[in-house]
Amino acid sequence: MLVPIFTLKLNHKINPRMVAIGKYDGIHPCLTAATQAGKVFIHNPHTRGQRPAAHRLSQSTQDSDISLLNINQAVSCLTAGTLGPNTTGHTLLVGSQTNLLAYDVHDNTDIFYKEVTDGANAIVLGKLGDIPNPLAIIGGNCALQGFDFEGNDQFWTVTGDNVRSLVLCDFTADGKNELLVGSEDFDIRVFREDELVTEMAENETVTSLCHMHGSRFGYALANGTVGVYDRTARYWRIKSKNHAMSIHAFDLNADGVVELITGWSNGKIDARSDRTGEVIFKDNFSSSVAGVVEGDYRMDGQIQLICSSVEGEVRGYLPASKEMKGNLMDASVEQDLIRELSQRKQNLILELRNYEENAKALPGVSEGESKKGVIPANTQLQTALSVRRATESQRAHIELNISTPNETIIRAVLIFAEGIFEGESHVVHPSVQNLSGCVRVPIIPPKDIPVDLHIKAFVGGKTSTQFHVFEITRQLPRFSMYDLNVDPSATQPTGKVTFSINDRPQRVVMWLNQNFLLPEGIDSPDITFTTLRAGGLLKINMQPSGEVDEFHSVHQKLTAAMADHSNYIRNMLVQAEDARLMGDWRNTKKRYIELYDLNRDLINEYKIRSNNHNALLARLKSVNQAIQRAGRLRVGKPKTQVITACRDAIKNNNINALFKIMRAGTASS
């Protein structure tokens, strides 16, 4: 059993999610946390009696090992780490809803004090992308902002909603850190500096993020869910009735791989395998956990896991020794596990006994035997999804139709779906008078995300007391709340977005069928939907891309065909004249008829070539006008450079470079 190697009772409350470890003199680790009345306490038991009060820092009257930093505002986030190249030790960074303070604890001085109009809900310190110096990156009201050691604003971008959590991680495995942002719109976004790389949709506010190793990271949601992602693939997740207050990555069982350590609102601390989510250790505080960090707090060369509660209790844990490896939990926990497995064994034995009794039943079953739940062998669970518009009595919704193909009835339906139902599950239990082989369930997805519906249905005969459980999974498409039926009097959309894709229309039709609820037979990408949430129209229209290239190609093919026909006419004319001079009037007539047909084809091809040439000129004119407009956005030498670079891109048939030059002024990234 793993037990704490030290326990501290600090006489100060600790704000949740505002705990850090900092080596402010470059040597001694100090526990730092936000406390009440706009103060931050710094616990330093290593240099007692050597900290005179100065500037913002003052000595605590309750504990000689604690210094208090007066912020005079409610603290919203804090962290500590290396920010400047010439500082003695770590820098303490404290964020509020209006300011960001970078403080040198060792020298008792402000490094910088910046006003942040969007507030600071979360903070992370480290290197981002190609930016050479470490940045203090804060997330506030839909904005991200990064400051260097001089307080200069080196990074700024916007995100979808209020930021609640941040972490730096080499998400793309390119040797450079990306910024992972958790926000109140339930999304985890990945930024390569100010470029959005990808995003993962969750079903609640993302309250905590932590880097584990490589591209793997842990996350926690406001509804009590914790889990692990590797890039965009979710390895596992679990949900608790309590809230995850803090998560941290630490190798507690000394197997060389970090575990996900979670501190909960009920005071529980647990460690879970990063691969499976299995609990390998747990302990309990008497109050809610405030933060989980790590550091060599005893100065003996061993890193400890340090957990703190909101009441000021602090515990330190060492990684397991070789003798204890794989046995981190106490005997009572093992007894609970044995009891749980025994209960599961009894349930399986009971289920097996029911199956054996059902197997004894003959094809011609009596009423008594039908009560045991015997059903026809061809019984299947069938599902269908359809869009239903709003009525006076019901909101617009997706209707899930669950049915069986014979006389069996569905006694109850359980649906598990992430982010749709409260508690992530929904039970439909028809009354005895309304039992039938068909159950209709209204579903209202709150957002446009694909959702897997895990369906369990109890199926049996009309007089059955035992039922068969059918399980099936059906995916709800991303854009299921869009109806193909359009009101002719509806207002047409006024705004539009135009973009290019390198796909054939058939691929777009395939994408439409995968992401919308469409009837069979839709074979055109030109389509109009009614959005059931807002009531507006969504029109999708596709035109063939690469028109200039296509006209060039057609022009070349027609020119080659006309050259072949010209050679053929020349030979045919010689043969016709030879036949005329020899008096072979039958062959002469035949050759001139063929000449007439060839001449007619040649004239038609010329007309086609002429039309194609005019269309090509029109497209080239549009391209040149676009280049001219791009040039007018610059003045002087840059204007000339843009136009020259665009011309070179057209000569090299490099369309992607042409777009980059128009946008950025250069083809280099």
Side-chain angles (χ1 to χ4, degrees):
M1 176 184 172
L2 194 66
V3 295
I5 57 167
F6 69 81
T7 300
L8 303 172
K9 300 284 188 179
L10 307 180
N11 296 318
H12 291 273
K13 304 277 189 182
I14 299 177
N15 293 353
R17 302 189 180 95
M18 299 182 203
V19 182
I21 289 277
K23 294 181 180 179
Y24 302 117
D25 60 357
I27 302 171
H28 303 99
C30 303
L31 182 68
T32 308
T35 186
Q36 297 170 327
K39 290 182 172 63
V40 171
F41 76 72
I42 300 164
H43 180 257
N44 183 2
H46 310 291
T47 56
R48 288 175 177 154
Q50 302 177 22
R51 297 180 299 279
H55 191 41
R56 293 178 182 269
L57 212 58
S58 61
Q59 196 70 30
S60 171
T61 58
Q62 298 173 316
D63 193 326
S64 61
D65 290 338
I66 289 180
S67 301
L68 293 173
L69 184 65
N70 196 5
I71 306 299
N72 293 323
Q73 295 184 65
V75 177
S76 54
C77 59
L78 66 78
T79 190
T82 302
L83 181 61
N86 301 318
T87 53
T88 305
H90 288 170
T91 300
L92 174 62
L93 293 144
V94 182
S96 68
Q97 288 305 314
T98 55
N99 297 93
L100 174 65
L101 168 67
Y103 192 74
D104 187 331
V105 176
H106 183 258
D107 294 334
N108 295 333
T109 57
D110 289 2
I111 298 174
F112 64 79
Y113 186 67
K114 287 286 182 181
E115 182 179 351
V116 286
T117 55
D118 295 310
N121 301 330
I123 187 167
V124 67
L125 177 57
K127 287 194 172 182
L128 173 62
D130 292 318
I131 300 173
N133 295 319
L135 297 180
I137 303 172
I138 58 171
N141 181 19
C142 305
L144 301 166
Q145 204 167 358
F147 298 91
D148 65 9
F149 63 96
E150 295 178 335
N152 298 320
D153 189 350
Q154 297 286 348
F155 167 73
W156 184 89
T157 189
V158 294
T159 185
D161 205 337
N162 291 335
V163 177
R164 291 290 300 275
S165 51
L166 297 170
V167 73
L168 290 166
C169 166
D170 185 8
F171 185 86
T172 56
D174 60 355
K176 301 171 186 175
N177 281 340
E178 282 77 38
L179 179 64
L180 276 62
V181 182
S183 52
E184 292 182 357
D185 61 355
F186 309 169
D187 283 345
I188 302 172
R189 295 180 175 86
V190 182
F191 288 90
R192 184 189 291 115
E193 294 185 23
D194 57 356
E195 175 193 355
L196 180 63
V197 177
T198 187
E199 55 187 346
M200 290 78 76
E202 280 297 332
N203 58 1
E204 250 297 350
T205 299
V206 184
T207 55
S208 298
L209 293 168
C210 76
H211 177 224
M212 302 196 71
H213 58 86
S215 57
R216 195 170 299 184
F217 64 93
Y219 73 98
L221 306 182
N223 63 359
T225 298
V226 296
V228 168
Y229 273 95
D230 193 343
R231 296 194 183 177
T232 57
R234 187 166 60 198
Y235 268 36
W236 57 266
R237 71 178 187 114
I238 62 99
K239 187 177 179 185
S240 169
K241 62 182 179 180
N242 302 300
H243 300 297
M245 306 306 292
S246 178
I247 58 174
H248 187 75
F250 188 79
D251 183 12
L252 196 60
N253 61 359
D255 64 349
V257 180
V258 295
E259 286 77 49
L260 183 66
I261 316 297
T262 309
W264 299 89
S265 58
N266 65 342
K268 185 175 73 171
I269 292 279
D270 63 34
R272 295 177 180 271
S273 164
D274 74 317
R275 295 175 288 272
T276 62
E278 177 189 359
V279 177
I280 63 168
F281 167 76
K282 59 183 176 181
D283 199 358
N284 285 284
F285 283 85
S286 58
S287 58
S288 171
V289 174
V292 181
V293 292
E294 65 178 73
D296 182 10
Y297 216 59
R298 298 196 305 172
M299 298 292 291
D300 60 359
Q302 293 180 297
I303 301 296
Q304 300 104 40
L305 177 71
I306 301 171
C307 306
S308 55
S309 74
V310 295
E311 295 297 326
E313 182 181 359
V314 180
R315 296 180 191 172
Y317 301 86
L318 271 178
S321 61
K322 292 183 179 179
E323 296 78 19
M324 197 184 295
K325 191 174 181 180
N327 188 26
L328 305 186
M329 294 194 285
D330 60 18
S332 63
V333 174
E334 293 179 354
Q335 291 295 328
D336 290 342
L337 186 59
I338 291 172
R339 194 177 300 111
E340 181 184 343
L341 291 173
S342 298
Q343 183 64 44
R344 193 181 301 175
K345 178 183 175 183
Q346 291 299 323
N347 292 339
L348 290 172
I349 290 173
L350 181 61
E351 186 176 346
L352 179 62
R353 191 174 299 143
N354 288 336
Y355 280 126
E356 289 173 348
E357 290 187 6
N358 286 343
K360 293 176 184 177
L362 298 174
V365 294
S366 63
E367 182 180 347
E369 288 173 325
S370 69
K371 291 183 179 180
K372 297 177 181 178
V374 179
I375 60 175
N378 67 343
T379 304
Q380 294 179 331
L381 199 64
Q382 300 172 342
T383 62
L385 291 167
S386 55
V387 182
R388 293 286 181 264
R389 292 204 171 199
T391 62
E392 292 182 0
S393 59
Q394 197 168 23
R395 294 166 56 192
H397 61 276
I398 307 301
E399 185 177 271
L400 172 63
N401 189 301
I402 306 167
S403 60
T404 57
N406 47 38
E407 296 299 319
T408 54
I409 56 101
I410 299 175
R411 189 66 186 86
V413 174
L414 282 77
I415 305 174
F416 301 91
E418 191 178 334
I420 291 183
F421 306 115
E422 186 177 353
E424 299 190 8
S425 63
H426 182 65
V427 179
V428 180
H429 201 287
S431 62
V432 177
Q433 296 81 10
N434 296 323
L435 291 177
S436 68
C438 179
V439 172
R440 294 179 176 87
V441 183
I443 297 173
I444 305 176
K447 296 176 65 179
D448 289 335
I449 55 174
V451 178
D452 287 330
L453 304 173
H454 302 283
I455 304 165
K456 293 185 178 182
F458 296 178
V459 179
K462 293 182 178 179
T463 59
S464 295
T465 56
Q466 296 178 2
F467 297 90
H468 289 255
V469 179
F470 283 76
E471 296 187 27
I472 191 170
T473 299
R474 179 73 187 262
Q475 188 178 65
L476 195 64
R478 179 182 294 273
F479 303 112
S480 53
M481 289 291 282
Y482 292 79
D483 188 13
L484 192 59
N485 298 315
V486 176
D487 185 356
S489 62
T491 305
Q492 294 298 308
T494 55
K496 68 173 183 177
V497 175
T498 304
F499 56 92
S500 299
I501 56 173
N502 297 321
D503 280 309
R504 294 174 285 109
Q506 291 82 357
R507 295 275 299 172
V508 177
V509 171
M510 188 185 303
W511 176 85
L512 288 170
N513 279 286
Q514 290 171 349
N515 289 275
F516 293 84
L517 286 175
L518 297 178
E520 294 183 3
I522 299 295
D523 55 2
S524 170
D526 299 335
I527 199 165
T528 303
F529 296 97
T530 301
T531 170
L532 299 184
R533 292 192 185 93
L537 295 186
L538 169 67
K539 298 185 75 171
I540 298 175
N541 179 264
M542 183 177 182
Q543 295 179 349
S545 61
E547 290 174 313
V548 172
D549 284 344
E550 289 177 9
F551 287 131
H552 267 302
S553 176
V554 172
H555 179 79
Q556 291 169 354
K557 288 178 181 178
L558 289 174
T559 302
M562 288 182 69
D564 290 342
H565 279 148
S566 297
N567 292 331
Y568 196 26
I569 286 174
R570 192 179 297 113
N571 294 333
M572 192 71 67
L573 188 60
V574 171
Q575 292 176 11
E577 284 300 303
D578 287 344
R580 185 181 64 81
L581 293 173
M582 293 172 62
D584 187 354
W585 301 111
R586 187 169 62 84
N587 278 331
T588 301
K589 182 179 179 182
K590 180 180 178 182
R591 299 301 178 203
Y592 275 109
I593 290 173
E594 290 176 354
L595 271 171
Y596 175 81
D597 292 337
L598 276 173
N599 185 61
R600 184 184 60 201
D601 292 343
L602 201 60
I603 291 171
N604 290 334
E605 285 178 0
Y606 172 78
K607 290 179 180 178
I608 295 172
R609 184 169 178 264
S610 177
N611 293 334
N612 181 78
H613 180 69
N614 291 333
L616 174 60
L617 290 178
R619 296 300 182 273
L620 288 174
K621 182 180 179 182
S622 299
V623 172
N624 289 332
Q625 287 174 341
I627 294 172
Q628 186 181 25
R629 286 194 291 269
R632 285 177 179 171
L633 293 173
R634 285 92 179 170
V635 176
K637 189 177 179 180
K639 176 178 181 179
T640 307
Q641 289 174 341
V642 165
I643 294 175
T644 304
C646 287
R647 294 277 185 251
D648 292 339
I650 290 175
K651 286 180 183 177
N652 297 327
N653 199 27
N654 192 340
I655 304 302
N656 290 331
L658 180 64
F659 291 155
K660 283 184 180 179
I661 293 163
M662 288 183 176
R663 282 196 295 260
T666 177
S668 59
S669 56

